[in-house]
Amino acid sequence: MQLLSVILYNTQGAIRRVDFRPGRLNIVTGESRTGKGALLTIVDYCLGRKSIQVPEGPITDTVAWYATLWQLDEGQAFIARPAPAVGRASSQQAMLEFGNELRQPPALEDLVVNTNVATLRTQIGRRIGIEENITNPGAGGRAPLEATLAHALLLCLQSQNEIASSTALFHRQGERGIADSLRDTIPYFLGAVPQDQAIKRAQLRGAKHALQRAQAQLRDAELAAQTIDVELRALYNEARAVGLVAEQEIPDRLTLIRILQGARVAPPPQEPHPAVDDVAQQDQYIALERQAQTLRADLARVMADRALLLDQRDGETDYQEALQLQSGRLASLGLIAAGPGSGHTAAPVCPACGQETEHADPTPEALRSSLNLLQAQLENLAEARPSQRSALIALDGQASSLRDQLASAEAALTALRTANRITDLTSADGRDFTRGRIDAILSRVDATDDAELQRLRTAAESAAATVAALEAELNDDEDREQLTSRLLLVGQDMTTYADQLELEHSEGSVRLDLARLTVVTDTERGPIRLERIGSAANWIGYHLATHLALHRYFTRQNRPVPRFLILDQPTQAHYPSDMSLQSGVPEGDADRGAVLRTFRLLYDVVEELSPGLQIIVGDHANLPEPWFRDSVEHNWRNGTKLIPAEWLS
């Protein structure tokens, strides 16, 4: 994408056209206040910026529509924006037209608003290769961001104030949110993230949601499987209390489910079901209460036995540690030698000095006996451990069974209390209410069988494997390594260009610090950031080195960034007098040499990348060198300006 023309329309339909050559260095030289700097703001506005930054004066007083003509890889694009309404500085309206032969601009009456700035940027961005993408900052609480044409343009424009700044390296960097957008999108434009990363990140988000759903379903099913037997028993007692089923033996869950299914679908009796006698209901309630009390007592006894066994085990552990400590002390003395009774006939010796003695010392034998006793006790404790574990397992099983029975009894008591409180329901209504509860609970039984649980576990494992595979493909460490590699290549060109411009502190290496969005030179004294380097000439030089290095990388790697760079007044530091501004030739040899190096570097980079890069420079410089003269597209001196004089009259 390169600029062919900037086109202005006044209210009478007159057209001012400023043409440029693609793939070349285009210099617009001229005196001050001729409109050179306005070219950048017009391009920025035409490419979708909501507010127009053209200075108030002749341009805003006369121009009704701002337009640009662009050369794309396939065909051209004509973009026009109406001037904001009187009293306003922004507009969302735009006109966009694509074609193969758009060299001749349309007349004023043919200009129509057919889109808005958001759509304009999306369509142009797709034409230059900006694909669907999502950058994930990961830190700082920033939301994911999609790189668009708006972010790419931040790398293509340098106004007069920006190019000479020691603190802002990129276009609009000082505005709110722009710095974070640059940090998040430059890796995409450098190609440090895969082209299909946006699709994979979307797949990862979907896979994580699927995993959460599968895990939630599995948890619900496992919880239901743990409590369904208790609920079914309680439901059976409730059905029995309202007369839906008769008391009978229930050997397993399947039998219980069949009984409840029969109670749910059985036709109502021809004659009203006799009301449950209050005395019988009271007897049933008392029996259930006694059963619950007995179960509570049994559960308390089991838990007490379990606590006693745990205390005993803890005490044995302390005792065992003491025995092991004492045994270790005895064994570590090294004084336990074989005594006379062990079958050895050698003369007794002193355990301390090793010399022969008349009588054997009884101490070693006593120590040996103590050690043997301690080791025997340790073996007895070790043998007792398996039986303790078995006893704990048995007690845990008894406690679980008692809890289930107690929960069933308490649920039945609750059902009886509820039935007694609902005094205004007929027996038929009570049975219908219980049938509804049976239907609701039986609908959950299928989700608790082993086959369904296994299916849910398999689904959860499959979803987890999908998430793991996508996360492995979206490796943040790999992305950082890819970004570092590309920044190193850009830094090599920055170092070369800084050396050609003879900038201060360029004797080491020069690099782009993406975290701080500044230039850093690595010297023997340590790293030096741009704001610590003096003079506007150095600031401008490092700006040029950075942007030329980035665009060289974008062009050579065919990255989706517009192939133009607009620079406003890159030699402003070398025109100290009005005389030199008017002539375009600096008075001092040092200034003239710096200006010559600047434009020669711009010329050489464009020639190297031709026709892949277009550079447009608005400046006072007007050097006599042939290559410079060949690059001058417009010379706005002697009354020639962006706005024709007849428009003002």
Side-chain angles (χ1 to χ4, degrees):
M1 178 181 183
Q2 297 184 2
L3 182 62
L4 297 177
S5 301
V6 170
I7 307 165
L8 304 180
Y9 297 81
N10 70 3
T11 55
Q12 286 75 39
I15 296 177
R16 171 69 162 113
R17 179 169 178 167
V18 182
D19 293 327
F20 300 96
R21 288 182 292 176
R24 298 289 301 274
L25 172 62
N26 294 258
I27 300 175
V28 181
T29 181
E31 302 170 354
S32 299
R33 298 183 296 276
T34 55
K36 301 185 301 297
L39 293 173
L40 182 148
T41 58
I42 292 171
V43 169
D44 199 7
Y45 180 65
C46 285
L47 287 177
R49 187 168 182 178
K50 296 178 183 178
S51 60
I52 187 168
Q53 302 300 308
V54 174
E56 291 288 340
I59 302 177
T60 57
D61 291 341
T62 59
V63 176
W65 279 74
Y66 301 87
T68 50
L69 180 64
W70 299 91
Q71 181 65 51
L72 306 177
D73 289 341
E74 297 180 0
Q76 295 93 36
F78 177 80
I79 302 173
R81 301 277 309 276
V86 177
R88 303 185 63 182
S90 63
S91 171
Q92 298 274 359
Q93 297 178 327
M95 173 183 176
L96 175 61
E97 183 179 347
F98 296 103
N100 293 322
E101 295 295 335
L102 299 177
R103 295 282 182 171
Q104 191 64 31
L108 176 64
E109 56 270 18
D110 295 329
L111 301 180
V112 293
V113 173
N114 60 9
T115 187
N116 55 41
V117 295
T119 304
L120 184 153
R121 282 180 162 171
T122 299
Q123 292 195 35
I124 294 295
R126 293 294 182 260
R127 295 274 179 149
I128 67 173
I130 299 179
E131 302 172 343
E132 180 184 0
N133 65 89
I134 292 292
T135 60
N136 189 13
R142 302 197 303 275
L145 178 70
E146 182 174 5
T148 66
L149 177 66
H151 303 109
L153 291 176
L154 300 176
L155 309 174
C156 300
L157 305 173
Q158 285 279 280
S159 68
Q160 180 177 355
N161 294 329
E162 292 166 344
I163 200 170
S165 173
S166 64
T167 57
L169 187 60
F170 296 98
H171 183 52
R172 302 175 59 188
Q173 181 177 328
E175 298 179 21
R176 182 179 179 182
I178 297 297
D180 287 337
S181 298
L182 286 164
R183 295 186 188 95
D184 296 341
T185 57
I186 286 178
Y188 168 76
F189 291 122
L190 287 172
V193 293
Q195 293 184 356
D196 60 347
Q197 188 184 68
I199 299 175
K200 288 185 178 180
R201 289 200 180 278
Q203 292 174 344
L204 178 60
R205 289 193 297 272
K208 286 183 175 180
H209 292 158
L211 175 60
Q212 292 174 354
R213 289 193 299 269
Q215 290 176 337
Q217 292 174 355
L218 179 60
R219 285 195 301 269
D220 292 342
E222 289 176 341
L223 181 62
Q226 295 173 1
T227 61
I228 193 65
D229 288 332
V230 174
E231 291 187 46
L232 291 175
R233 286 281 180 179
L235 193 60
Y236 165 75
N237 289 330
E238 182 180 340
R240 190 161 55 87
V242 298
L244 282 176
V245 298
E247 184 174 359
Q248 52 190 297
E249 186 69 21
I250 303 175
D252 52 31
R253 183 198 293 180
L254 183 59
T255 302
L256 180 57
I257 291 175
R258 287 173 179 171
I259 293 173
L260 292 175
Q261 287 175 337
R264 179 183 60 178
V265 301
Q270 296 297 327
E271 296 184 1
H273 191 284
V276 180
D277 184 70
D278 292 341
V279 175
Q281 202 172 53
Q282 185 177 9
D283 291 343
Q284 184 181 6
Y285 188 87
I286 293 173
L288 285 172
E289 274 196 330
R290 288 176 178 173
Q291 180 185 2
Q293 290 175 357
T294 301
L295 291 171
R296 291 191 191 97
D298 293 342
L299 180 60
R301 176 182 55 76
V302 170
M303 296 307 294
D305 292 344
R306 186 177 184 276
L308 181 62
L309 187 59
L310 289 175
D311 290 340
Q312 180 183 358
R313 188 184 66 177
D314 293 340
E316 289 177 353
T317 300
D318 295 338
Y319 180 60
Q320 183 181 16
E321 290 176 354
L323 292 180
Q324 289 174 341
L325 178 62
Q326 190 65 21
S327 175
R329 287 173 177 173
L330 291 174
S332 64
L333 291 176
L335 299 178
I336 311 301
S342 61
H344 293 272
T345 59
V349 297
C350 176
C353 63
Q355 295 182 357
E356 295 183 2
T357 59
E358 183 178 356
H359 301 287
D361 190 345
T363 304
E365 192 63 32
L367 293 174
R368 182 185 295 106
S369 298
S370 299
L371 178 59
N372 292 336
L373 180 60
L374 291 174
Q375 291 175 342
Q377 292 175 343
L378 287 172
E379 291 175 359
N380 292 335
L381 289 175
E383 292 174 356
R385 286 300 171 88
S387 58
Q388 288 179 345
R389 286 194 294 269
S390 300
L392 279 174
I393 293 173
L395 289 175
D396 288 338
Q398 293 179 24
S400 178
S401 176
L402 289 171
R403 288 192 192 96
D404 290 343
Q405 296 178 45
L406 179 60
S408 178
E410 289 179 341
L413 287 170
T414 301
L416 285 176
R417 287 194 292 266
T418 302
N420 289 333
R421 284 197 298 270
I422 307 176
T423 57
D424 57 340
L425 291 178
T426 64
S427 59
D429 291 336
R431 288 194 296 273
D432 290 340
F433 176 77
T434 302
R435 282 195 182 98
R437 283 174 43 78
I438 293 173
D439 186 71
I441 293 178
L442 288 183
S443 65
R444 293 162 34 212
V445 172
D446 291 340
T448 63
D449 60 27
D450 293 339
E452 180 65 14
L453 285 175
Q454 184 58 39
R455 187 191 69 79
L456 292 174
R457 290 191 186 98
T458 302
E461 291 172 357
S462 176
T466 302
V467 169
L470 289 171
E471 287 178 340
E473 294 180 12
L474 296 169
N475 191 325
D476 291 337
D477 293 336
E478 175 67 19
D479 291 346
R480 282 191 291 271
E481 185 176 353
Q482 292 289 338
L483 177 59
T484 301
S485 175
R486 285 158 174 76
L487 289 177
L488 286 174
L489 294 177
V490 173
Q492 292 175 4
D493 287 340
M494 291 172 62
T495 303
T496 301
Y497 297 154
D499 184 63
Q500 293 180 19
L501 294 173
E502 299 182 7
L503 304 178
E504 294 181 16
H505 306 294
S506 62
E507 64 275 6
S509 62
V510 183
R511 56 186 168 89
L512 171 62
D513 185 344
L514 191 57
R516 297 183 177 90
L517 292 179
T518 190
V519 175
V520 177
T521 63
D522 294 309
T523 68
E524 294 179 353
R525 297 186 299 276
I528 302 176
R529 291 196 293 271
L530 183 62
E531 62 265 24
R532 294 179 55 205
I533 300 175
S535 86
N538 285 312
W539 301 335
I540 295 172
Y542 280 114
H543 275 249
L544 293 176
T546 301
H547 286 275
L548 291 175
L550 284 172
H551 277 273
R552 184 174 187 267
Y553 184 87
F554 296 150
T555 304
R556 290 166 62 87
Q557 300 300 320
N558 196 27
R559 297 304 303 157
V561 177
R563 297 288 189 265
F564 71 89
L565 177 62
I566 300 181
L567 307 171
D568 186 22
Q569 305 293 345
T571 65
Q572 57 188 284
H574 304 289
Y575 285 87
S577 67
D578 292 340
M579 184 65 67
S580 60
L581 287 176
Q582 293 175 5
S583 67
V585 180
E587 296 175 352
D589 292 339
D591 288 328
R592 188 179 186 282
V595 171
L596 185 61
R597 287 193 297 272
T598 296
F599 278 98
R600 187 67 205 192
L601 175 61
L602 297 175
Y603 181 85
D604 289 342
V605 171
V606 170
E607 288 297 308
E608 177 199 0
L609 301 175
S610 179
L613 179 63
Q614 176 191 46
I615 297 181
I616 300 173
V617 182
D619 202 271
H620 300 293
N622 190 21
L623 305 179
E625 279 72 10
W627 59 266
F628 186 95
R629 292 293 184 186
D630 184 58
S631 301
V632 173
E633 285 298 307
H634 304 281
N635 192 341
W636 291 348
R637 286 182 170 83
N638 302 319
T640 304
K641 299 181 181 181
L642 176 63
I643 300 299
E646 57 268 22
W647 284 20
L648 299 176
S649 61

